[in-house]
Amino acid sequence: MSGIHHVTAIAGNALKNFDFYTQVLGLRFVKKTVNFDDPGTYHFYYGDEAGSPGTILTFFPWEGAAPGRGGTGQAQQTAFRVPARALGYWATRFLEKGIAHGALEKRFGESVLPFTDPDGMSLALVGVPGGENESGWSNGEIPTEHTIRGIHGVTLLLDSAAATAAILTNVFAFTEAAREGSVIRFKTKGPANGGVVDIYEAKGFLPARQGAGSVHHIAFRAGDDADQAAMAQKLVKEHGLLPTGQKDRNYFRSVYFREPGGVLFEIATDIPGFAVDEPVASLGEALKLPSFLEGHRKEIEAVLPPLGKVA
Ligand code: ZN
């Protein structure tokens, strides 16, 4: 298993975030839980039907969070995969719904439609030839032939690419696939979802400041605990880094480290997945809490804003 497991970002208002990702983008709301380190706030997970690794975008909605500022040491853009033939549908949808978006552009031969979410998070749809043959989940409104398939990849804005590139290739099984201008593309041989990391090497930019609309961290896949431990050991022995101990996130187990370019990286296990505490058919409907917070459910529910109906 290789590639991106999930991307986690910071949002402002929880309801706006929920509506945008479920209603406008039509992603499935696969888990409603809280930030385990800050249980008075939500942690939202969006993805495909089952929340498969490589399809997951997650948010910490922090009401009133100051907007982030783009810059080096951060993910500059997060891109989703859609069938190439669906881009016209999405451009029209963004116009109709008043979603801020840019003009179609070409990157590495692929058509890309950039847009932003309500917090100004930089996103894009990448039109993938043959994408209609990849499985997609529909919220019942967007025809399945047009729906988002999963995460295409992320673009990191870095002052210097080399040390980060070494981790991508040596620890996470990416290989350098192409260069275009100042951007180096890395790809995995693994599944299409989550298979791309672009490094945009740019000197002289200010460092990014995290806030609403910023990516908080990027998680890469490990099949299981043993896989994860081997990766963590490689980081220590071959890259001189000091990853954290393993943290249980209920739906996967995580190890974190700050990569040399300044971006927070995570290694997340594919197991156990989102069906560990509720059936796939009703994912996202109930507030799920880890056992150590279950005793505080009443207080937690009292401070979380209610959400609309889940698709
Ligand atoms: Zn994470």
Side-chain angles (χ1 to χ4, degrees):
M1 279 312 138
S2 56
I4 294 167
H5 182 281
H6 65 266
V7 174
T8 292
I10 300 168
N13 182 267
L15 276 168
K16 278 189 191 161
N17 181 266
F18 176 76
D19 285 346
F20 183 81
Y21 287 94
T22 60
Q23 305 298 315
V24 178
L25 294 191
L27 297 179
R28 186 162 192 210
F29 191 50
V30 293
K31 195 63 66 180
K32 176 164 63 169
T33 184
V34 295
N35 184 335
F36 291 5
D37 302 319
D38 180 14
T41 62
Y42 278 124
H43 191 180
F44 290 162
Y45 289 82
Y46 306 99
D48 69 357
E49 181 175 19
S52 313
T55 72
I56 308 158
L57 179 61
T58 101
F59 284 92
F60 299 132
W62 286 322
E63 186 66 47
R69 182 191 67 203
T72 52
Q74 203 175 56
Q76 187 198 30
Q77 190 171 68
T78 303
F80 299 103
R81 300 164 63 77
V82 297
R85 279 182 265 168
L87 283 172
Y89 169 89
W90 283 99
T92 306
R93 185 174 178 85
F94 290 163
L95 274 175
E96 284 172 358
K97 295 190 176 289
I99 306 303
H101 63 284
L104 264 187
E105 48 185 87
K106 281 271 181 201
R107 293 183 205 160
F108 295 99
E110 296 168 329
S111 298
V112 179
L113 178 62
F115 65 105
T116 52
D117 85 351
D119 290 298
M121 180 173 170
S122 171
L123 300 166
L125 296 176
V126 177
V128 182
E132 60 277 8
N133 302 319
E134 297 173 15
S135 67
W137 180 81
S138 172
N139 62 1
E141 188 225 336
I142 302 172
T144 309
E145 58 185 307
H146 300 318
T147 57
I148 286 172
R149 268 41 188 169
I151 290 176
H152 181 263
V154 293
T155 304
L156 310 180
L157 182 63
L158 302 180
D159 196 55
S160 168
T164 307
I167 289 168
L168 289 175
T169 53
N170 185 39
V171 183
F172 295 138
F174 281 77
T175 49
E176 185 181 323
R179 288 184 182 232
E180 197 173 82
S182 308
V183 182
I184 315 169
R185 169 154 292 192
F186 296 87
K187 283 176 113 166
T188 60
K189 286 201 203 79
N193 283 329
V196 172
V197 174
D198 289 336
I199 296 183
Y200 179 6
E201 190 180 52
K203 304 273 181 208
F205 277 80
L206 284 173
R209 190 182 57 216
Q210 214 159 62
S214 305
V215 168
H216 185 270
H217 64 264
I218 298 161
F220 294 89
R221 297 176 69 172
D224 55 23
D225 297 331
D227 246 25
Q228 185 187 54
M231 290 171 170
Q233 199 161 52
K234 251 187 173 178
L235 288 169
V236 175
K237 287 195 169 154
E238 297 172 35
H239 300 272
L241 294 170
L242 205 63
T244 64
Q246 193 191 58
K247 294 179 198 290
D248 185 0
R249 299 311 191 190
N250 251 24
Y251 313 107
F252 43 85
R253 292 182 284 276
S254 303
V255 162
Y256 302 85
F257 65 100
R258 181 79 56 186
E259 60 82 26
V263 185
L264 185 60
F265 278 3
E266 173 185 344
I267 311 171
T269 56
D270 279 3
I271 52 170
F274 290 92
V276 72
D277 60 358
E278 59 186 335
V280 168
S282 58
L283 285 179
E285 288 176 18
L287 177 71
K288 305 308 287 186
L289 297 175
S291 50
F292 72 93
L293 291 173
E294 204 47 73
H296 300 281
R297 175 173 283 271
K298 274 218 166 86
E299 301 100 280
I300 290 171
E301 282 180 341
V303 298
L304 295 173
L307 302 179
K309 203 178 154 9
V310 174

PDB file of all heavy atoms in Angstrom, residues 235-263:
ATOM      1  N   LEU A 235      12.784   6.615   8.946  1.00  0.00           N
ATOM      2  CA  LEU A 235      12.869   8.070   9.160  1.00  0.00           C
ATOM      3  C   LEU A 235      13.955   8.403  10.175  1.00  0.00           C
ATOM      4  O   LEU A 235      14.684   9.370  10.020  1.00  0.00           O
ATOM      5  CB  LEU A 235      11.514   8.608   9.648  1.00  0.00           C
ATOM      6  CG  LEU A 235      10.408   8.640   8.611  1.00  0.00           C
ATOM      7  CD1 LEU A 235       9.065   8.923   9.281  1.00  0.00           C
ATOM      8  CD2 LEU A 235      10.682   9.707   7.554  1.00  0.00           C
ATOM      9  N   VAL A 236      14.050   7.565  11.213  1.00  0.00           N
ATOM     10  CA  VAL A 236      15.048   7.793  12.254  1.00  0.00           C
ATOM     11  C   VAL A 236      16.442   7.493  11.708  1.00  0.00           C
ATOM     12  O   VAL A 236      17.342   8.324  11.767  1.00  0.00           O
ATOM     13  CB  VAL A 236      14.759   6.889  13.481  1.00  0.00           C
ATOM     14  CG1 VAL A 236      15.864   7.033  14.518  1.00  0.00           C
ATOM     15  CG2 VAL A 236      13.401   7.242  14.087  1.00  0.00           C
ATOM     16  N   LYS A 237      16.599   6.309  11.131  1.00  0.00           N
ATOM     17  CA  LYS A 237      17.935   5.824  10.776  1.00  0.00           C
ATOM     18  C   LYS A 237      18.495   6.488   9.529  1.00  0.00           C
ATOM     19  O   LYS A 237      19.688   6.734   9.431  1.00  0.00           O
ATOM     20  CB  LYS A 237      17.892   4.306  10.560  1.00  0.00           C
ATOM     21  CG  LYS A 237      17.743   3.550  11.860  1.00  0.00           C
ATOM     22  CD  LYS A 237      18.062   2.077  11.695  1.00  0.00           C
ATOM     23  CE  LYS A 237      18.159   1.395  13.055  1.00  0.00           C
ATOM     24  NZ  LYS A 237      17.844  -0.040  12.952  1.00  0.00           N
ATOM     25  N   GLU A 238      17.637   6.734   8.541  1.00  0.00           N
ATOM     26  CA  GLU A 238      18.167   7.202   7.258  1.00  0.00           C
ATOM     27  C   GLU A 238      17.907   8.679   6.990  1.00  0.00           C
ATOM     28  O   GLU A 238      18.456   9.241   6.053  1.00  0.00           O
ATOM     29  CB  GLU A 238      17.586   6.336   6.123  1.00  0.00           C
ATOM     30  CG  GLU A 238      18.028   4.878   6.256  1.00  0.00           C
ATOM     31  CD  GLU A 238      17.327   3.938   5.288  1.00  0.00           C
ATOM     32  OE1 GLU A 238      17.040   4.360   4.149  1.00  0.00           O
ATOM     33  OE2 GLU A 238      17.065   2.783   5.680  1.00  0.00           O
ATOM     34  N   HIS A 239      17.033   9.296   7.800  1.00  0.00           N
ATOM     35  CA  HIS A 239      16.726  10.703   7.558  1.00  0.00           C
ATOM     36  C   HIS A 239      16.914  11.572   8.801  1.00  0.00           C
ATOM     37  O   HIS A 239      16.625  12.774   8.761  1.00  0.00           O
ATOM     38  CB  HIS A 239      15.301  10.854   7.019  1.00  0.00           C
ATOM     39  CG  HIS A 239      15.092  10.115   5.724  1.00  0.00           C
ATOM     40  ND1 HIS A 239      15.346  10.681   4.500  1.00  0.00           N
ATOM     41  CD2 HIS A 239      14.738   8.830   5.487  1.00  0.00           C
ATOM     42  CE1 HIS A 239      15.115   9.777   3.552  1.00  0.00           C
ATOM     43  NE2 HIS A 239      14.745   8.649   4.127  1.00  0.00           N
ATOM     44  N   GLY A 240      17.359  10.960   9.894  1.00  0.00           N
ATOM     45  CA  GLY A 240      17.646  11.721  11.108  1.00  0.00           C
ATOM     46  C   GLY A 240      16.435  12.429  11.698  1.00  0.00           C
ATOM     47  O   GLY A 240      16.558  13.472  12.338  1.00  0.00           O
ATOM     48  N   LEU A 241      15.250  11.858  11.501  1.00  0.00           N
ATOM     49  CA  LEU A 241      14.025  12.498  12.014  1.00  0.00           C
ATOM     50  C   LEU A 241      13.525  11.760  13.245  1.00  0.00           C
ATOM     51  O   LEU A 241      13.895  10.609  13.487  1.00  0.00           O
ATOM     52  CB  LEU A 241      12.948  12.517  10.926  1.00  0.00           C
ATOM     53  CG  LEU A 241      13.279  13.393   9.722  1.00  0.00           C
ATOM     54  CD1 LEU A 241      12.293  13.157   8.595  1.00  0.00           C
ATOM     55  CD2 LEU A 241      13.277  14.871  10.112  1.00  0.00           C
ATOM     56  N   LEU A 242      12.666  12.420  13.996  1.00  0.00           N
ATOM     57  CA  LEU A 242      12.179  11.837  15.233  1.00  0.00           C
ATOM     58  C   LEU A 242      10.649  11.795  15.216  1.00  0.00           C
ATOM     59  O   LEU A 242       9.996  12.708  15.714  1.00  0.00           O
ATOM     60  CB  LEU A 242      12.684  12.683  16.411  1.00  0.00           C
ATOM     61  CG  LEU A 242      12.800  11.939  17.734  1.00  0.00           C
ATOM     62  CD1 LEU A 242      13.814  10.805  17.653  1.00  0.00           C
ATOM     63  CD2 LEU A 242      13.189  12.901  18.848  1.00  0.00           C
ATOM     64  N   PRO A 243      10.075  10.730  14.633  1.00  0.00           N
ATOM     65  CA  PRO A 243       8.607  10.652  14.609  1.00  0.00           C
ATOM     66  C   PRO A 243       8.039  10.429  16.014  1.00  0.00           C
ATOM     67  O   PRO A 243       8.730   9.955  16.905  1.00  0.00           O
ATOM     68  CB  PRO A 243       8.324   9.442  13.714  1.00  0.00           C
ATOM     69  CG  PRO A 243       9.603   8.716  13.563  1.00  0.00           C
ATOM     70  CD  PRO A 243      10.723   9.620  13.937  1.00  0.00           C
ATOM     71  N   THR A 244       6.776  10.793  16.203  1.00  0.00           N
ATOM     72  CA  THR A 244       6.093  10.598  17.501  1.00  0.00           C
ATOM     73  C   THR A 244       5.844   9.110  17.728  1.00  0.00           C
ATOM     74  O   THR A 244       5.957   8.309  16.803  1.00  0.00           O
ATOM     75  CB  THR A 244       4.718  11.284  17.509  1.00  0.00           C
ATOM     76  OG1 THR A 244       3.877  10.640  16.532  1.00  0.00           O
ATOM     77  CG2 THR A 244       4.818  12.773  17.208  1.00  0.00           C
ATOM     78  N   GLY A 245       5.426   8.778  18.919  1.00  0.00           N
ATOM     79  CA  GLY A 245       4.920   7.439  19.160  1.00  0.00           C
ATOM     80  C   GLY A 245       3.575   7.261  18.461  1.00  0.00           C
ATOM     81  O   GLY A 245       2.998   8.225  17.961  1.00  0.00           O
ATOM     82  N   GLN A 246       3.077   6.016  18.459  1.00  0.00           N
ATOM     83  CA  GLN A 246       1.818   5.750  17.759  1.00  0.00           C
ATOM     84  C   GLN A 246       0.627   6.267  18.570  1.00  0.00           C
ATOM     85  O   GLN A 246       0.550   6.065  19.781  1.00  0.00           O
ATOM     86  CB  GLN A 246       1.672   4.239  17.547  1.00  0.00           C
ATOM     87  CG  GLN A 246       0.576   3.909  16.564  1.00  0.00           C
ATOM     88  CD  GLN A 246       0.251   2.422  16.544  1.00  0.00           C
ATOM     89  OE1 GLN A 246      -0.114   1.841  17.558  1.00  0.00           O
ATOM     90  NE2 GLN A 246       0.383   1.827  15.371  1.00  0.00           N
ATOM     91  N   LYS A 247      -0.300   6.944  17.877  1.00  0.00           N
ATOM     92  CA  LYS A 247      -1.534   7.419  18.508  1.00  0.00           C
ATOM     93  C   LYS A 247      -2.715   6.681  17.873  1.00  0.00           C
ATOM     94  O   LYS A 247      -2.759   6.515  16.659  1.00  0.00           O
ATOM     95  CB  LYS A 247      -1.704   8.923  18.297  1.00  0.00           C
ATOM     96  CG  LYS A 247      -0.624   9.741  19.030  1.00  0.00           C
ATOM     97  CD  LYS A 247      -0.794  11.233  18.796  1.00  0.00           C
ATOM     98  CE  LYS A 247       0.451  12.022  19.124  1.00  0.00           C
ATOM     99  NZ  LYS A 247       0.773  12.096  20.547  1.00  0.00           N
ATOM    100  N   ASP A 248      -3.657   6.270  18.721  1.00  0.00           N
ATOM    101  CA  ASP A 248      -4.821   5.539  18.210  1.00  0.00           C
ATOM    102  C   ASP A 248      -5.904   6.538  17.832  1.00  0.00           C
ATOM    103  O   ASP A 248      -6.450   7.225  18.693  1.00  0.00           O
ATOM    104  CB  ASP A 248      -5.338   4.572  19.283  1.00  0.00           C
ATOM    105  CG  ASP A 248      -6.464   3.699  18.755  1.00  0.00           C
ATOM    106  OD1 ASP A 248      -6.840   3.837  17.566  1.00  0.00           O
ATOM    107  OD2 ASP A 248      -6.984   2.875  19.525  1.00  0.00           O
ATOM    108  N   ARG A 249      -6.202   6.644  16.547  1.00  0.00           N
ATOM    109  CA  ARG A 249      -7.238   7.558  16.063  1.00  0.00           C
ATOM    110  C   ARG A 249      -8.549   6.835  15.781  1.00  0.00           C
ATOM    111  O   ARG A 249      -9.371   7.306  14.992  1.00  0.00           O
ATOM    112  CB  ARG A 249      -6.757   8.288  14.803  1.00  0.00           C
ATOM    113  CG  ARG A 249      -5.504   9.158  15.016  1.00  0.00           C
ATOM    114  CD  ARG A 249      -5.627  10.069  16.212  1.00  0.00           C
ATOM    115  NE  ARG A 249      -4.587  11.086  16.300  1.00  0.00           N
ATOM    116  CZ  ARG A 249      -4.406  11.863  17.370  1.00  0.00           C
ATOM    117  NH1 ARG A 249      -5.177  11.722  18.433  1.00  0.00           N
ATOM    118  NH2 ARG A 249      -3.463  12.772  17.372  1.00  0.00           N
ATOM    119  N   ASN A 250      -8.734   5.655  16.360  1.00  0.00           N
ATOM    120  CA  ASN A 250      -9.950   4.851  16.248  1.00  0.00           C
ATOM    121  C   ASN A 250     -10.124   4.216  14.867  1.00  0.00           C
ATOM    122  O   ASN A 250     -10.453   3.050  14.771  1.00  0.00           O
ATOM    123  CB  ASN A 250     -11.206   5.669  16.558  1.00  0.00           C
ATOM    124  CG  ASN A 250     -11.822   5.267  17.892  1.00  0.00           C
ATOM    125  OD1 ASN A 250     -11.123   4.738  18.753  1.00  0.00           O
ATOM    126  ND2 ASN A 250     -13.101   5.511  18.062  1.00  0.00           N
ATOM    127  N   TYR A 251      -9.967   5.000  13.805  1.00  0.00           N
ATOM    128  CA  TYR A 251     -10.224   4.516  12.436  1.00  0.00           C
ATOM    129  C   TYR A 251      -8.925   4.157  11.730  1.00  0.00           C
ATOM    130  O   TYR A 251      -8.918   3.570  10.654  1.00  0.00           O
ATOM    131  CB  TYR A 251     -11.017   5.573  11.646  1.00  0.00           C
ATOM    132  CG  TYR A 251     -12.160   6.051  12.496  1.00  0.00           C
ATOM    133  CD1 TYR A 251     -12.166   7.315  13.079  1.00  0.00           C
ATOM    134  CD2 TYR A 251     -13.196   5.165  12.806  1.00  0.00           C
ATOM    135  CE1 TYR A 251     -13.178   7.704  13.943  1.00  0.00           C
ATOM    136  CE2 TYR A 251     -14.211   5.543  13.667  1.00  0.00           C
ATOM    137  CZ  TYR A 251     -14.196   6.820  14.233  1.00  0.00           C
ATOM    138  OH  TYR A 251     -15.191   7.184  15.087  1.00  0.00           O
ATOM    139  N   PHE A 252      -7.820   4.575  12.314  1.00  0.00           N
ATOM    140  CA  PHE A 252      -6.462   4.238  11.854  1.00  0.00           C
ATOM    141  C   PHE A 252      -5.537   4.558  13.017  1.00  0.00           C
ATOM    142  O   PHE A 252      -5.962   5.170  14.011  1.00  0.00           O
ATOM    143  CB  PHE A 252      -6.075   5.053  10.600  1.00  0.00           C
ATOM    144  CG  PHE A 252      -6.461   6.496  10.646  1.00  0.00           C
ATOM    145  CD1 PHE A 252      -5.641   7.437  11.259  1.00  0.00           C
ATOM    146  CD2 PHE A 252      -7.684   6.940  10.112  1.00  0.00           C
ATOM    147  CE1 PHE A 252      -6.011   8.769  11.322  1.00  0.00           C
ATOM    148  CE2 PHE A 252      -8.059   8.275  10.180  1.00  0.00           C
ATOM    149  CZ  PHE A 252      -7.221   9.196  10.789  1.00  0.00           C
ATOM    150  N   ARG A 253      -4.302   4.124  12.917  1.00  0.00           N
ATOM    151  CA  ARG A 253      -3.319   4.452  13.946  1.00  0.00           C
ATOM    152  C   ARG A 253      -2.228   5.308  13.317  1.00  0.00           C
ATOM    153  O   ARG A 253      -1.854   5.067  12.167  1.00  0.00           O
ATOM    154  CB  ARG A 253      -2.782   3.164  14.569  1.00  0.00           C
ATOM    155  CG  ARG A 253      -3.887   2.461  15.370  1.00  0.00           C
ATOM    156  CD  ARG A 253      -3.425   1.203  16.054  1.00  0.00           C
ATOM    157  NE  ARG A 253      -3.273   0.071  15.155  1.00  0.00           N
ATOM    158  CZ  ARG A 253      -4.259  -0.744  14.771  1.00  0.00           C
ATOM    159  NH1 ARG A 253      -5.484  -0.562  15.216  1.00  0.00           N
ATOM    160  NH2 ARG A 253      -4.025  -1.758  13.962  1.00  0.00           N
ATOM    161  N   SER A 254      -1.765   6.312  14.055  1.00  0.00           N
ATOM    162  CA  SER A 254      -0.991   7.390  13.449  1.00  0.00           C
ATOM    163  C   SER A 254       0.339   7.629  14.126  1.00  0.00           C
ATOM    164  O   SER A 254       0.456   7.534  15.353  1.00  0.00           O
ATOM    165  CB  SER A 254      -1.789   8.697  13.524  1.00  0.00           C
ATOM    166  OG  SER A 254      -3.030   8.535  12.885  1.00  0.00           O
ATOM    167  N   VAL A 255       1.303   7.989  13.290  1.00  0.00           N
ATOM    168  CA  VAL A 255       2.605   8.468  13.733  1.00  0.00           C
ATOM    169  C   VAL A 255       2.832   9.773  12.974  1.00  0.00           C
ATOM    170  O   VAL A 255       2.474   9.862  11.790  1.00  0.00           O
ATOM    171  CB  VAL A 255       3.696   7.421  13.378  1.00  0.00           C
ATOM    172  CG1 VAL A 255       5.080   8.027  13.419  1.00  0.00           C
ATOM    173  CG2 VAL A 255       3.604   6.208  14.298  1.00  0.00           C
ATOM    174  N   TYR A 256       3.371  10.783  13.629  1.00  0.00           N
ATOM    175  CA  TYR A 256       3.539  12.100  12.996  1.00  0.00           C
ATOM    176  C   TYR A 256       5.004  12.514  12.978  1.00  0.00           C
ATOM    177  O   TYR A 256       5.769  12.139  13.873  1.00  0.00           O
ATOM    178  CB  TYR A 256       2.754  13.177  13.759  1.00  0.00           C
ATOM    179  CG  TYR A 256       1.272  12.891  13.868  1.00  0.00           C
ATOM    180  CD1 TYR A 256       0.776  12.076  14.883  1.00  0.00           C
ATOM    181  CD2 TYR A 256       0.379  13.419  12.943  1.00  0.00           C
ATOM    182  CE1 TYR A 256      -0.587  11.801  14.981  1.00  0.00           C
ATOM    183  CE2 TYR A 256      -0.976  13.157  13.042  1.00  0.00           C
ATOM    184  CZ  TYR A 256      -1.452  12.349  14.058  1.00  0.00           C
ATOM    185  OH  TYR A 256      -2.793  12.076  14.149  1.00  0.00           O
ATOM    186  N   PHE A 257       5.365  13.288  12.003  1.00  0.00           N
ATOM    187  CA  PHE A 257       6.695  13.917  12.009  1.00  0.00           C
ATOM    188  C   PHE A 257       6.653  15.158  11.126  1.00  0.00           C
ATOM    189  O   PHE A 257       5.845  15.265  10.207  1.00  0.00           O
ATOM    190  CB  PHE A 257       7.784  12.944  11.527  1.00  0.00           C
ATOM    191  CG  PHE A 257       7.664  12.523  10.089  1.00  0.00           C
ATOM    192  CD1 PHE A 257       8.450  13.125   9.108  1.00  0.00           C
ATOM    193  CD2 PHE A 257       6.781  11.524   9.700  1.00  0.00           C
ATOM    194  CE1 PHE A 257       8.351  12.732   7.773  1.00  0.00           C
ATOM    195  CE2 PHE A 257       6.673  11.130   8.366  1.00  0.00           C
ATOM    196  CZ  PHE A 257       7.460  11.735   7.407  1.00  0.00           C
ATOM    197  N   ARG A 258       7.527  16.104  11.446  1.00  0.00           N
ATOM    198  CA  ARG A 258       7.656  17.318  10.644  1.00  0.00           C
ATOM    199  C   ARG A 258       8.711  17.030   9.588  1.00  0.00           C
ATOM    200  O   ARG A 258       9.853  16.722   9.928  1.00  0.00           O
ATOM    201  CB  ARG A 258       8.075  18.468  11.570  1.00  0.00           C
ATOM    202  CG  ARG A 258       8.239  19.814  10.927  1.00  0.00           C
ATOM    203  CD  ARG A 258       6.945  20.546  10.670  1.00  0.00           C
ATOM    204  NE  ARG A 258       6.110  20.735  11.858  1.00  0.00           N
ATOM    205  CZ  ARG A 258       4.872  21.266  11.802  1.00  0.00           C
ATOM    206  NH1 ARG A 258       4.349  21.665  10.646  1.00  0.00           N
ATOM    207  NH2 ARG A 258       4.165  21.398  12.909  1.00  0.00           N
ATOM    208  N   GLU A 259       8.343  17.047   8.316  1.00  0.00           N
ATOM    209  CA  GLU A 259       9.343  16.730   7.277  1.00  0.00           C
ATOM    210  C   GLU A 259      10.272  17.939   7.107  1.00  0.00           C
ATOM    211  O   GLU A 259       9.927  19.051   7.554  1.00  0.00           O
ATOM    212  CB  GLU A 259       8.639  16.271   5.993  1.00  0.00           C
ATOM    213  CG  GLU A 259       7.689  17.254   5.351  1.00  0.00           C
ATOM    214  CD  GLU A 259       8.424  18.259   4.487  1.00  0.00           C
ATOM    215  OE1 GLU A 259       9.519  17.930   3.989  1.00  0.00           O
ATOM    216  OE2 GLU A 259       7.916  19.380   4.317  1.00  0.00           O
ATOM    217  N   PRO A 260      11.451  17.730   6.506  1.00  0.00           N
ATOM    218  CA  PRO A 260      12.465  18.798   6.489  1.00  0.00           C
ATOM    219  C   PRO A 260      11.998  20.095   5.818  1.00  0.00           C
ATOM    220  O   PRO A 260      12.510  21.166   6.135  1.00  0.00           O
ATOM    221  CB  PRO A 260      13.621  18.169   5.694  1.00  0.00           C
ATOM    222  CG  PRO A 260      13.396  16.700   5.747  1.00  0.00           C
ATOM    223  CD  PRO A 260      11.936  16.482   5.901  1.00  0.00           C
ATOM    224  N   GLY A 261      11.027  20.024   4.935  1.00  0.00           N
ATOM    225  CA  GLY A 261      10.528  21.230   4.274  1.00  0.00           C
ATOM    226  C   GLY A 261       9.544  22.009   5.140  1.00  0.00           C
ATOM    227  O   GLY A 261       9.116  23.104   4.765  1.00  0.00           O
ATOM    228  N   GLY A 262       9.140  21.432   6.290  1.00  0.00           N
ATOM    229  CA  GLY A 262       8.277  22.153   7.223  1.00  0.00           C
ATOM    230  C   GLY A 262       6.840  21.671   7.273  1.00  0.00           C
ATOM    231  O   GLY A 262       6.044  22.147   8.093  1.00  0.00           O
ATOM    232  N   VAL A 263       6.466  20.722   6.413  1.00  0.00           N
ATOM    233  CA  VAL A 263       5.072  20.251   6.387  1.00  0.00           C
ATOM    234  C   VAL A 263       4.919  19.125   7.409  1.00  0.00           C
ATOM    235  O   VAL A 263       5.805  18.275   7.542  1.00  0.00           O
ATOM    236  CB  VAL A 263       4.695  19.729   4.983  1.00  0.00           C
ATOM    237  CG1 VAL A 263       3.215  19.351   4.919  1.00  0.00           C
ATOM    238  CG2 VAL A 263       5.018  20.763   3.914  1.00  0.00           C
TER     239      VAL A 263
END
